[in-house]
Amino acid sequence: MPNKPKCPSCHSAMTPQRLASVAGGEVELDLCFACRGIWFDPLENLKLTPAALVTLFRLLHDHRNDAVSPLAHRLTCPRCRKPLGQGFDVVKSGRYITYRCTQRHGRFSTFASFMIEKGFVRQLSGQEIDDMARRVGVINCSSCGAPVDLRKDHACPHCRSALSLLDPQAVEQALKGYAVAVQQTGQLSIPDLADALVMVERDRVKAEREAKAQRGSLFTTAEGQSRADLWAAGVALVWQILN
Ligand SMILES: [Zn+2]
Ligand SMILES: [Zn+2]
Ligand SMILES: [Zn+2]
C-alpha cells in the first residue's frame, strides 16, 4: 500500500494512526487536524475496538483547539489526484457528506461525518438550537465548516447537514466492556450545551493567547473571528466520560 497520503483538502502530510479493528489486526488511518478529516483506504471502513476508540477520542481531544481551515471546494484523491466525488449517505443518526475517489482509491470523511456514520451523534433539539442562538449566535457547521446563523437556520445552508453533537451516551454505550469508560455509569453530569460551547470557546481563546505569547505576540490575525464550535464542545463532553 502506498504510504503518506497528502490531505485531500489542504495537501499537507496527514498524521498516520494505527488502530485495532474488531476483525483482528490493525488498520492505519490518516488524519488531518486542520481540516478535521480522515482518509480511508479501501476496506478501512472498519469497526474499531473500544480501546481503539478511546485512542481516537484522546487524539481528537488533544487536537480540539488546533487551528481549523474550511474544506476546499474541490477535494482531490491523495492517490490519483483526481477530484473526489461528493455524495450523501443517510443513517439513523443523520445525514452526512461523503467524498469518494471515483477510481476506488478510498474516501475522505470529516470527523463529524465519521461520528454520524458510527451513530455517535444525536441531532440537536429545537430548544437547544434556540438556546444556542441566544447565547452564541453563529456556529461553524461541523461537516463542512460553513458558518450557520442559528437565528435564521436550523441546518447548514451550505451542505444541509442537520446540527448534530457528539453524544456522550452513545459513545459510552459503544465503550461498554471497556473498563475505564464505564465506572461512572448513571452518574454522568453533562453540562448544558450552551455552557459547554462557551467553556470550549474560552479554552480555545486561552490556548491561542498562550501560543501567541510563545511566538512573541506580534501576530494578531484570526482573533475575533472565533466562532462557537460544536465539534470541540462534543469532544470535550465525551472526554468527561473517558476520564
Ligand atoms: Zn488538511
Ligand atoms: Zn484516486
Ligand atoms: Zn455544512
Side-chain angles (χ1 to χ4, degrees):
M1 195 179 295
N3 277 329
K4 298 234 167 84
K6 298 261 200 296
C7 174
S9 179
C10 71
H11 306 298
S12 305
M14 302 187 87
T15 304
Q17 176 67 45
R18 300 196 74 81
L19 293 167
S21 103
V22 292
E26 284 190 322
V27 286
E28 186 172 284
L29 303 184
D30 297 283
L31 296 93
C32 178
F33 295 105
C35 301
R36 290 183 175 167
I38 310 178
W39 175 256
F40 298 91
D41 285 320
L43 307 180
E44 280 182 351
N45 180 15
L46 63 170
K47 283 199 166 160
L48 298 173
T49 64
L53 211 50
V54 172
T55 304
L56 185 61
F57 276 115
R58 177 170 298 123
L59 206 59
L60 299 178
H61 187 259
D62 288 347
H63 288 271
R64 72 195 184 286
N65 287 321
D66 284 13
V68 182
S69 34
L71 286 186
H73 285 296
R74 172 173 284 200
L75 305 182
T76 50
C77 173
R79 307 297 183 203
C80 69
R81 315 255 168 234
K82 293 206 168 86
L84 297 178
Q86 182 177 325
F88 291 95
D89 278 350
V90 178
V91 291
K92 210 170 60 189
S93 52
R95 159 196 156 95
Y96 60 94
I97 317 184
T98 58
Y99 302 96
R100 287 192 169 85
C101 171
T102 52
Q103 314 291 312
R104 298 171 185 267
H105 291 124
R107 67 188 178 107
F108 182 76
S109 280
T110 60
F111 296 163
S113 290
F114 179 68
M115 296 297 164
I116 295 172
E117 181 186 337
K118 296 298 170 198
F120 292 154
V121 300
R122 64 177 179 80
Q123 303 205 353
L124 297 182
S125 70
Q127 197 193 330
E128 283 172 318
I129 294 174
D130 291 343
D131 190 31
M132 287 197 304
R134 269 194 307 277
R135 306 248 326 250
V136 297
V138 179
I139 62 163
N140 285 331
C141 172
S142 304
S143 293
C144 74
V148 184
D149 186 339
L150 296 170
R151 291 156 296 200
K152 293 190 312 215
D153 300 310
H154 282 195
C156 174
H158 181 66
C159 73
R160 294 188 290 147
S161 293
L163 296 173
S164 54
L165 177 78
L166 270 174
D167 181 359
Q169 252 111 35
V171 174
E172 187 187 31
Q173 199 61 38
L175 294 174
K176 280 254 152 74
Y178 187 73
V180 174
V182 287
Q183 299 157 0
Q184 304 290 330
T185 307
Q187 298 172 24
L188 277 182
S189 81
I190 296 169
D192 173 75
L193 179 56
D195 283 345
L197 279 167
V198 169
M199 181 185 77
V200 161
E201 180 57 11
R202 204 184 295 137
D203 283 356
R204 198 193 59 76
V205 169
K206 185 162 158 253
E208 197 175 73
R209 207 180 295 131
E210 282 164 6
K212 210 174 276 175
Q214 280 177 3
R215 285 198 304 264
S217 81
L218 285 174
F219 302 95
T220 52
T221 44
E223 204 152 36
Q225 296 179 3
S226 62
R227 241 175 231 140
D229 186 336
L230 268 186
W231 168 257
V235 171
L237 293 177
V238 166
W239 196 242
Q240 290 186 344
I241 66 162
L242 297 180
N243 279 277

